[in-house]
Amino acid sequence: MTYLFPIFIFLFGLAVGSFLNVVIYRLRTQENALKGRSCCPYCHHQLAWFDLIPVVSFLLLGGKCRYCKKNISRQYPIVETATGLLFLLIFLASRDMAQPDNLQLIDFLFLLAISCLLLVIFVYDLKHYIIPNEIVYPAIGIAFAWRIFEVFPIFRLLATRAGETKNWASLAVQALGEGGAFGFPNPLVNGAVAALIASGFFLLLFLASRGKWIGFGDVKLGIFMGLFLGFPNIFVALFFAFLIGAIIGVILMGARKKGLQSEIPFGPFLILGVLIAYLAGEEIAQWYFSSFAL
Ligand SMILES: [Zn+2]
């Protein structure tokens, strides 16, 4: 039974990843991702359900369209697998998800939603050198909502006890009585200041380089990063983003694939930084402060 949950979460991630591929494609063509059947981008033949099984269809078809035999981008199975693995990772990193209460479930869903948006930004920025507003604004909104949810314990109380009674008004009064209306505003202040510092730093780089080092989309992504990570994790994310970016940049220049002047999108590195900071930020910050600080 305990194995079934992780397997289900992984398979669910594969299916969601398949949808994210559609979102990435249709963001470019400005079609509605929820409307219309999927079709081959080359021959526009409508795809049957058995062409749309994540990863499996790609492997069975040898990476070619069933109808026109053109190569299907490897992006499709890669994004599907990455989504499945990311969902699994979030599930394993969450405590007690075998029998979660409402609160843990809400946190889990928040994280799944954020990881989907970040995956789309990662691939889209890599492909098209732009971070779409349609994705980065919802990411900022969700991170902000998460902080609000954290700051006002009344929401948490309502969420945890929603099953007890249908009388929400009395539940709210009860929560207020337990001092649950206004919590310490620390998480929100923490996130907001981190957002200001990250996006302000990116804005300086953007202005100083006239958009050559960093795009304006990265400035917006900085707002999300700060709200989502807060201190000290935002510094961990920035450190790893610049470190990985520098390493990849040097490798690409060495391979002469990219000259000094050519553009490398920065969004994917920022998102890798977010992932590292989210999974191990506390430990890394603690290690850093105990090793180098007084
Ligand atoms: Zn085709």
Side-chain angles (χ1 to χ4, degrees), residues 1-12 84 87-88 91-92:
M1 190 62 195
T2 38
Y3 294 105
L4 282 178
F5 271 118
I7 291 172
F8 172 77
I9 293 290
F10 178 71
L11 293 178
F12 176 60
F87 278 23
L88 187 62
F91 176 79
L92 296 176

Side-chain angles (χ1 to χ4, degrees), residues 39-45 47 64-70:
C39 58
C40 168
Y42 303 106
C43 65
H44 298 284
H45 195 294
L47 300 179
K64 290 181 195 325
C65 169
R66 182 190 301 279
Y67 310 98
C68 68
K69 305 293 175 202
K70 283 241 171 61

